[in-house]
Amino acid sequence: MGTPFDETAIDNALADLSAGEKAWAATSLRRRRELLDEIHVRTGRFAEDWVRSACAIKGLDEDSPLVGEEWMSGPLTLLQATAALSATLSVLETGNSPLTGITLQEAPGGRVAVPILPRGVYDRLMLNGFRGEVWLRPGVDAATARKRAGLAQLDPTATGGIGAVLGAGNITSIPPLDALYELYAHNRVVALKLNPITDPLYTVFEMVFAPLLELGVLRILTGGAAEGSYLVHHDDVAHVHMTGSAHTHDAIVWGPGQEGLERKKEHRPLLDKPITSELGGVSPTIVVPGDWSDADLRYQAQHVATHRLHNNGYNCVAAQAIVLSADWDRKDRFLAELRTAIERAPQRAAYYPGSDVRVADALASYPDAKRFGPGAGRVLVEQLPHTDTPLLRNEYFSPVLGVVELPYAGGEFLHRAVDFANTELTGTLGANVIAHPATIRRLGIGFDRAIERLRYGAIAVNTWTGLAFLAPRAAWGAFPGHTLDDVQSGIGVVHNAFLLDDVERTVVRGPFRPAPRSLVRGEPSLSPKPPWFVDNATAATTGRRLTEFYASANPARLPGIFLSALRG
């Protein structure tokens, strides 16, 4: 039996939101923009409280460089999101499309590509050499893209009822971002239920979102699975959005246990309302063979370690399968550097519930795996089978990383690696591709075709898909086409500050090398090692300074950011 809970708090919150929906329908575009600006100011004001609470949740020492993760994936992400969404509302106020003045481009397959990075001088300074675009679905032309951009804000008086948002417990900006997307993309007032892991942030979120709470369009709730179930099945809730695992999604949609399995088999969902979701999976990093220097091998090994170890692997898009060419003459040296990078990455607590059990499950399946750190908390499984093995099927959501070697070279390797990622790995949230610039040039259209063929909602070339999460105008979610019966990495997108319709994927690209080596080798990038690398020594200082800058937009803060970043 579950722990009894008081239904009154949820009933009262939903009653408030029913009244708040009328207030939201009467709220002008200008006032909606002003609300975003007020939240932006308050995010900066309470950013330090936010990070302090996040560190307590995750067991991070206040002097650890890993605190930078909490600055960057917490208040900094919300600051950028509110600013970008405010800019979109500002354009809509004038009666124009959010894409007015933006040159739309063409992506492979005749798709429309919307440039989302860099946007403005500060992006060009602080993400120099990085770029990104959102690809729309095939068949959507530029005129249609411009016409539909704005989503529900094209008719702000047409509200969509109450949306229940089940917040994530890993990245602390996810619940606020999902709540904003419900309000602004779909015109739904929001009952946000926090994951119990993030309950210590309740007061911070109350302070940050006070303007929406006062208007009656947002209510923040706490509780466990029983409260969540009561909320999503409540008659007053019109729509559900969740971030989590496919297992949790299926328990909500079909019901738990054997009854849920029977319902799913018979296509009789227990949930009687629409649900969107951002779920995880087994994300790949495809390492394309090439003529890499020793410095390239070392840097990219640190890069791949970051793909897995950021937030200790508790990311829906954390890489779990590294795909290598068995014929690459630098493969052994790369793997040696990868082992070193995993071993030397800062140690941290396994704060997410069930992590130790999942690591133990991986070790039971792969007893010869290499173990790193105190208590063997990090696991590297080499020489994985190419099919039908747990690591390729189950999201471990912990510091477990596998390596698959395919017996091909050059362009054939990339072609086969894409096939492998598309057919053998569970989920479609994010995929990374690392390739030497000379290799990309040599492959030419073949490389572009490979990126097009990858069926993932976020694709990162020489960077990490986490950048697509952090970039506010990027759309974030699984590759389209999943269903309740086979949900994979979810249904729908979030973030998407341009409020684009018909999204297919986000593609971000970065420099193969950090500055100054990038400049010496002919890459036009001034960016040093990114602050999100797990071994970046000044990540905490850089993350704090970036947050303070985006809160104030004071150019006098820029030299301090650059100095800290260069020392990383």
Side-chain angles (χ1 to χ4, degrees), residues 91 121 144 209-210 226 240 249 325 405 419 442 468:
V91 175
V121 65
T144 302
F209 285 105
V240 177
H249 171 275
S325 166
E405 297 183 19
D419 287 344
R442 186 177 71 252

Side-chain angles (χ1 to χ4, degrees), residues 35-289:
L35 288 165
L36 289 167
D37 296 342
E38 291 170 19
I39 293 166
H40 186 277
V41 171
R42 298 178 72 84
T43 301
R45 183 182 306 161
F46 298 112
E48 190 164 359
D49 300 283
W50 183 330
V51 172
R52 188 182 301 112
S53 294
C55 290
I57 291 167
K58 300 184 180 185
L60 290 176
D61 186 273
E62 63 179 11
D63 297 323
S64 170
L66 294 174
V67 174
E69 294 181 1
E70 302 312 314
W71 284 103
M72 288 179 281
S73 64
L76 174 59
T77 300
L78 185 59
L79 285 167
Q80 292 177 306
T82 50
L85 198 49
S86 174
T88 290
L89 270 287
S90 181
V91 175
L92 287 168
E93 283 179 65
T94 68
N96 290 307
S97 166
L99 299 181
T100 298
I102 295 173
T103 301
L104 303 185
Q105 300 164 352
E106 184 174 331
R111 294 169 172 84
V112 168
V114 180
I116 52 96
L117 189 72
R119 301 300 310 169
V121 65
Y122 296 134
D123 276 358
R124 291 181 174 87
L125 284 172
M126 288 183 282
L127 288 170
N128 192 267
F130 291 85
R131 55 195 174 95
E133 53 198 21
V134 172
W135 293 10
L136 304 184
R137 302 189 193 202
V140 177
D141 59 23
T144 302
R146 295 184 190 279
K147 180 180 178 181
R148 293 179 178 172
L151 296 178
Q153 298 310 303
L154 296 174
D155 184 5
T157 63
T159 52
I162 298 173
V165 173
L166 302 181
N170 57 339
I171 296 296
T172 59
S173 62
I174 292 176
L177 292 174
D178 290 352
L180 285 180
Y181 200 69
E182 282 289 288
L183 272 166
Y184 284 88
H186 301 299
N187 261 350
R188 288 190 280 263
V189 294
V190 179
L192 169 62
K193 195 200 81 68
L194 301 180
N195 185 300
I197 298 171
T198 59
D199 281 355
L201 281 161
Y202 178 88
T203 301
V204 173
F205 289 158
E206 271 199 324
M207 294 189 292
V208 168
F209 285 105
L212 297 179
L213 294 167
E214 291 168 6
L215 187 60
V217 300
L218 173 68
R219 287 294 178 265
I220 305 174
L221 302 167
T222 60
E227 288 83 355
S229 178
Y230 181 77
L231 172 65
V232 300
H233 292 286
H234 200 287
D235 289 342
D236 290 348
V237 169
H239 182 275
V240 177
H241 178 80
M242 65 158 291
T243 298
S245 69
H247 175 77
T248 302
H249 171 275
D250 282 359
I252 291 170
V253 172
W254 307 104
Q258 187 60 38
E259 179 187 352
L261 293 175
E262 291 297 324
R263 281 181 167 275
K264 187 173 183 180
K265 183 179 178 180
E266 298 166 4
H267 304 284
R268 294 188 297 111
L270 181 66
L271 190 72
D272 61 353
K273 61 201 67 174
I275 181 171
T276 52
S277 52
E278 188 265 85
L279 313 175
V282 178
S283 293
T285 292
I286 298 171
V287 179
V288 184

